[in-house]
Amino acid sequence: MRYVLRFDVHQRLQHLLLLTSFIILAITGLPLLYRYTDWGMALINAMGGVENVRGWHRLASFVMIGAGIYHILWAIAKRPTTMIPRMKDVRDFVADVKFAFGLSDEVPEYHKFSYVQKFEYWGAFWGMVIMISTGLVLSYPEIFSPSGEWFAAFRVAHWEEAILAVVFIASWHMYFSHLRKKFFPFNKVIFTGKMELEKAEDEHPLWVEEVIKRGSGN
């Protein structure tokens, strides 16, 4: 079976760091948010108490910050352009809408990343900016908000963005990226880095054409 390289080792490691830190942040953060409920305190006590949960939450946040810095440095070094939104993404979106409503029989052909994947990427990037900035204020109020004037606003922003991220990742991202019928039972590309050529030709035909021209298939 032939494969094409979709993600290099740095991208896979960045995703692993982000995935691990996100899971720990969700597992520790949600009980802290609902610590005034019986189930919230039950989870906190099962994990060793409030201070222990806060410690793990803070440690995971620094791992996420490290993953973000790692990605930015990698992007500066590699200068990738595949995630930059283009007019073709707008045309692809319009074509998908027409197809969904039976107004056209044509479906768009995607390059390495579709407009949906670009939306996820930039949404995650912006979400990390919100989570990290508000999290730092909540963790170190004496440095970032000594007067306490904005503390409540940052706390609400942090909690609401956290809930939005958990719901989005657990539902849409898991379905679209990993559990769709063509990838069933699970899409492992982000972990192995390699994608089956047949699936790549179906999902991203324009990218595969470019890869074959460069002779980068495996």
Side-chain angles (χ1 to χ4, degrees), residues 31-103:
L32 287 173
L33 173 58
Y34 293 100
R35 62 185 178 277
Y36 301 110
T37 66
D38 291 338
W39 68 266
M41 279 308 303
L43 289 175
I44 288 173
N45 291 332
M47 290 186 282
V50 172
E51 291 306 314
N52 194 46
V53 172
R54 282 177 176 166
W56 278 105
H57 192 78
R58 188 168 297 182
L59 175 62
S61 71
F62 283 112
V63 174
M64 179 173 282
I65 292 172
I69 295 173
Y70 183 6
H71 179 69
I72 291 172
L73 293 176
W74 172 86
I76 292 173
K78 300 288 288 187
R79 299 183 182 276
T81 60
T82 51
M83 275 298 180
I84 297 176
R86 305 181 186 279
M87 280 305 301
K88 184 181 183 309
D89 297 311
V90 177
R91 293 193 295 269
D92 289 347
F93 171 74
V94 173
D96 268 343
V97 171
K98 287 182 177 179
F99 179 79
F101 285 94
L103 302 176

